Amino acid sequence: MNVKNDFITNLLNKKTTGLVISINDLRDKEFSGIKLSPEERFALSNFDKYRINTLNSQTDEEKFHYQYRQLQVIANLSDWREFLKKDF
């Protein structure tokens, strides 16, 4: 299993309690005109790099759509701080 799949699996299997602030929450905050911290901007940038690399690496349409849906789930449900840990 490659590193990207391990990362996705870890995010999707992570048990959290309470509400988290997601990547999409940060996007909403930014679109509302609220200034993001440097860490928040870095996390958005890392997620965007990760998303583009993941989708561009897909070899067929079915895999592309599957990964696209997984990325939507991650952007909506995963804590944005997960994207501070790695450089994508």
Side-chain angles (χ1 to χ4, degrees), residues 32-84:
S32 296
I34 300 170
K35 187 174 179 178
L36 299 179
S37 72
E39 280 188 326
E40 291 170 331
R41 285 194 311 274
F42 183 70
L44 282 178
S45 176
N46 274 351
F47 177 78
D48 289 338
K49 288 176 192 174
Y50 177 71
R51 179 178 49 84
I52 289 167
N53 290 337
T54 299
L55 294 176
N56 284 341
S57 70
Q58 300 313 304
T59 56
D60 66 48
E61 192 171 343
E62 186 176 328
K63 288 180 182 178
F64 176 89
H65 290 293
Y66 176 77
Q67 289 295 327
Y68 184 83
R69 287 189 303 273
Q70 276 195 321
L71 290 165
Q72 285 180 309
V73 170
I74 290 168
N76 280 311
L77 300 177
S78 296
D79 191 320
W80 67 272
R81 289 173 189 88
E82 293 293 329
F83 289 93
L84 292 175

Side-chain angles (χ1 to χ4, degrees), residues 1 7 20 22-24 30-31 33-36 42-43 45 56 61 68 78 81 85 87-88:
M1 185 175 271
F7 181 71
V20 297
S22 70
I23 289 292
N24 283 345
E30 183 177 43
F31 291 142
I34 300 170
K35 187 174 179 178
L36 299 179
F42 183 70
S45 176
N56 284 341
E61 192 171 343
Y68 184 83
S78 296
R81 289 173 189 88
K85 297 178 182 176
D87 185 33
F88 299 93

Side-chain angles (χ1 to χ4, degrees), residues 7-19:
F7 181 71
I8 289 175
T9 301
N10 288 339
L11 282 177
L12 295 175
N13 290 331
K14 193 168 201 162
K15 304 289 185 216
T16 58
T17 57
L19 297 175

